């Protein structure tokens, strides 16, 4: 064997400054190697596109079981979910999760989502100035997911903080994680107690309970599935819609390209996801000694899959730090890849494509103030984005 | 070469259809239909593109 020790960096992936702007740090890690040991996080980081994609496809070597979060408490709590299991158990859980979430299940929703997005954008353009995160990036997915699952009353009011906390607790046991656990616990408790009668008749959420009653999914999984819809699908979609507005404002030439050629709408979303992934780092565990690029990752090691570093790898994407919608990076890593590829990506595409379509039809240019960012363990998103002026189309 | 579909894993995201419209399409129920399993040399690049873009790795070439 010619395995050598992995290069080492003193970077802490969950340092406040790194969380707010991880890309310079990722560039330095990529230069050190495709695999870099991070003692601060007790993990081996995968930094380059090819090794990340290969690792995501290889679930036998890079296990999700008890491994996706960066603290033992959250990994324990996620035991038995599709996120945190490997085939064959994963295959069954995933099928139950996606039965109502796959593109074929969501086809009927396209027109409704487009109408909601367009009505919202139309109203905001008419106002001329607004805070884009609350008024658009949060408003749209919260309404769509609430209606989809059939939430009513106080649950709707809690969706944002529950969704944020569910992502935050995946980090290491720092102050953010400690403060978020009680809130994530509220979500978990609610999902453990929810019954079909709590959800609007005809909703997807009600359908999940009906599938459970018919024996199509295992007993007691309906609550888990609702938990994943809320935990994984709210905060991330909010991040990407906020990013769309910010990136179009920063790059009016790129907005102009989409305006001229609406066929670029999916490409613009792919590039937004590549450029600023809602999730930059995700966990796995090595199930065996594995050699990558001549470096050994020992059996049992924690692995940090740096999706955001792979997305900026110049070995795969020329000029990776430029935001260019025409590159259409359909193979970006932001939804993960393979058996654990984002289960909600079909819904995310429906929402984001609707927003991009409407913005590009109705807006020629946006003038924004400085974006406010707050360090967050897992979801990288904009906290506030003041739109000061809209030049309507 | 042969295109192999892992049907249980396919969720109908449809990115393959965009990459290789001559080789596959989603039917009215959103199920993927391969027009032929065996493909000639001329179609290999399109087939490779379809395999590459599948977000859940449900397609492979053998």
């Amino acid at each position: 064997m010619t395995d050598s020790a992995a290069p080492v960096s003193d970077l802490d992936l969950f340092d406040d400054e790194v969380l707010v702007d991880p890309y310079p740090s990722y560039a330095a890690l990529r230069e050190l190697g495709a695999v870099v040991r991070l003692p601060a996080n007790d993990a081996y980081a995968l930094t380059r596109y090819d090794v990340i994609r290969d690792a995501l496809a290889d679930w036998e070597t890079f296990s999700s079981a008890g491994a996706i979060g960066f603290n033992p408490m959250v990994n324990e709590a996620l035991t038995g979910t599709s996120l945190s299991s490997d085939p064959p158990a994963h295959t069954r859980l995933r099928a139950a999760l996606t039965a109502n979430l796959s593109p074929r299940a969501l086809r009927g929703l396209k027109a409704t989502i487009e109408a909601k997005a367009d009505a919202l954008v139309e109203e905001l353009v008419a106002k001329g100035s607004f805070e884009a995160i609350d008024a658009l990036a949060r408003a749209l997915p919260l309404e769509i997911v609430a209606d989809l699952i059939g939430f009513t009353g106080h649950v709707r009011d809690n969706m944002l903080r529950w969704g944020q906390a569910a992502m935050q607790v995946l980090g290491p046991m720092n102050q953010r994680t400690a403060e978020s656990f009680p809130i994530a616990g509220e979500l978990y408790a609610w999902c453990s107690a929810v019954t079909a009668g709590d959800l609007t008749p005809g909703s997807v959420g009600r359908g999940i309970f009906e599938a459970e009653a018919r024996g199509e999914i295992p007993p007691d999984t309906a609550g888990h599935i609702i938990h994943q819809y809320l935990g994984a699908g709210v905060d991330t979609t909010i991040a990407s819609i906020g990013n769309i507005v910010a990136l179009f404002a920063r790059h009016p030439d790129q907005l102009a390209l989409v305006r001229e050629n609406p066929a670029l709408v999916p490409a613009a979303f792919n590039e937004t996801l590549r450029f600023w992934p809602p999730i930059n780092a995700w966990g796995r565990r090595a199930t065996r000694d594995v050699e990558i690029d001549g470096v050994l990752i020992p059996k049992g090691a924690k692995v940090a899959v740096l999706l955001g570093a792979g997305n900026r790898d110049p070995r795969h994407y020329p000029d990776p730090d430029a935001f260019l919608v025409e590159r259409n990076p359909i193979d970006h890593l932001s939804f993960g890849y393979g058996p654990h590829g984002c289960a909600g990506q079909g819904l995310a595409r429906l929402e984001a494509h609707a927003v991009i379509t409407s913005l590009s039809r109705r807006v020629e240019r946006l003038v924004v103030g400085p974006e406010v960012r707050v360090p967050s363990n897992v979801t990288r998103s904009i906290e506030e984005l003041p739109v000061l002026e809209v030049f309507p189309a | 070469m042969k295109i192999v579909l892992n049907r249980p894993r396919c969720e109908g995201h449809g990115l393959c259809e965009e990459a290789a419209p001559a080789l596959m399409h989603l039917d009215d129920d959103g199920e993927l239909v391969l027009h032929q399993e065996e493909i000639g040399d001329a179609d290999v690049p399109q087939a490779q593109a379809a395999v590459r873009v599948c977000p859940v790795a449900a397609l492979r070439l053998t």
Side-chain angles (χ1 to χ4, degrees):
Chain A
M1 295 284 282
T2 55
D3 294 337
S4 54
V8 178
S9 163
D10 61 6
L11 182 80
D12 173 3
L13 292 173
F14 301 94
D15 174 82
D16 286 4
E17 281 179 38
V18 174
L19 290 171
V20 168
D21 182 14
Y23 303 109
S25 304
Y26 289 168
L29 291 182
R30 273 195 313 266
E31 285 313 296
L32 277 175
V35 180
V36 178
R37 190 163 70 84
L38 303 177
N41 305 121
D42 192 21
Y44 287 76
L46 306 184
T47 74
R48 296 180 188 166
Y49 183 93
D50 287 344
V51 303
I52 292 172
R53 196 165 147 114
D54 288 350
L56 292 173
D58 182 4
W59 57 267
E60 288 167 295
T61 305
F62 296 96
S63 167
S64 292
I68 60 163
F70 288 84
N71 71 79
M73 231 171 109
V74 77
N75 286 327
E76 173 70 23
L78 288 170
T79 303
T81 65
S82 67
L83 267 179
S84 186
S85 39
D86 297 323
H90 168 266
T91 309
R92 198 182 60 247
L93 293 164
R94 169 93 179 188
L97 179 68
T98 57
N100 293 291
L101 199 54
S102 66
R104 69 177 72 104
L106 294 171
R107 276 179 306 172
L109 283 175
K110 187 167 184 278
T112 311
I113 290 175
E114 285 172 349
K116 280 181 178 169
D118 197 47
L120 191 52
V121 170
E122 181 182 26
E123 180 194 323
L124 294 172
V125 169
K127 276 176 80 174
S129 68
F130 53 93
E131 199 283 287
I133 303 305
D134 258 343
L136 179 60
R138 289 176 181 158
L140 185 70
L142 288 175
E143 186 186 340
I144 288 170
V145 174
D147 287 352
L148 180 75
I149 308 184
F151 292 132
T152 53
H154 86 285
V155 184
R156 283 185 93 115
D157 300 334
N158 278 315
M159 283 175 69
L160 180 63
R161 51 191 286 278
W162 284 356
Q164 288 174 332
M167 298 304 290
Q168 199 78 275
V169 296
L170 291 164
M173 194 45 90
N174 56 21
Q175 193 185 343
R176 283 184 286 270
T177 299
E179 287 173 359
S180 299
F181 258 117
I183 305 169
E186 286 174 33
L187 166 63
Y188 186 82
W190 186 83
C191 290
S192 304
V194 67
T195 61
D198 297 326
L199 305 171
T200 315
S203 64
V204 164
R206 181 71 83 96
I208 294 168
F209 277 93
E210 288 161 0
E212 188 184 280
R214 286 194 301 267
E216 290 166 19
I217 58 173
D220 299 325
T221 48
H224 284 297
I225 291 170
I226 305 272
H227 185 261
Q228 291 202 28
Y229 272 54
L230 264 177
V234 173
D235 207 26
T236 48
T237 315
I238 289 171
S240 62
I241 294 176
N243 290 344
I244 288 166
V245 179
L247 288 167
F248 273 169
R250 276 194 194 190
H251 303 278
D253 57 322
Q254 300 299 305
L255 174 57
L257 290 171
V258 182
R259 288 174 47 69
E260 283 158 25
N261 179 9
L264 285 172
V265 166
F269 186 42
N270 288 330
E271 179 67 345
T272 301
L273 287 169
R274 182 196 72 84
F275 194 78
W276 279 348
I279 296 174
N280 279 284
W282 203 244
R284 290 286 193 267
R285 190 169 302 283
T287 58
R288 59 180 177 88
D289 284 357
V290 55
E291 189 204 302
I292 294 180
D293 273 16
V295 165
L296 177 79
I297 300 179
K299 177 179 177 175
K302 178 80 188 182
V303 176
V305 185
L306 300 187
L307 308 169
N311 277 347
R312 300 285 188 110
D313 186 350
R315 294 161 193 79
H316 190 75
Y317 295 113
D319 197 10
D321 296 323
F323 177 76
L324 303 169
V325 297
E326 287 172 307
R327 77 164 86 224
N328 190 18
I330 198 165
D331 59 353
H332 68 75
L333 299 166
S334 301
F335 285 136
Y337 173 65
H340 288 281
C342 175
Q345 60 185 286
L347 181 59
R349 278 196 195 92
L350 282 181
E351 294 180 48
H353 290 179
V355 168
I356 294 171
T357 300
S358 185
L359 279 174
S360 61
R361 275 196 201 133
R362 294 186 178 278
V363 176
E364 187 176 313
R365 197 158 63 84
L366 295 162
V367 180
V368 297
E371 64 203 30
V372 176
R373 289 184 181 271
V374 176
S376 179
N377 286 336
V378 174
T379 315
R380 180 175 179 271
S381 60
I382 302 170
E383 184 70 17
E384 283 174 36
L385 179 67
V387 174
L388 306 173
E389 200 175 352
V390 179
F391 292 81
Chain B
M1 295 188 89
K2 199 173 166 188
I3 309 179
V4 181
L5 167 64
N6 180 340
R7 181 152 314 265
R9 199 182 269 185
C10 173
E11 294 168 356
H13 293 285
L15 304 184
C16 58
E17 177 185 45
E18 287 170 41
L23 303 179
M24 57 196 73
H25 75 278
L26 292 176
D27 69 14
D28 291 343
D29 296 324
E31 295 282 345
L32 186 64
V33 179
L34 299 177
H35 301 169
Q36 71 241 34
E37 285 191 358
E38 294 287 344
I39 52 161
D41 290 350
D43 288 330
V44 167
Q46 241 193 57
Q48 285 171 332
V51 169
R52 172 127 202 107
V53 299
C54 175
V56 292
L59 287 171
R60 63 195 167 85
L61 271 181
T62 57

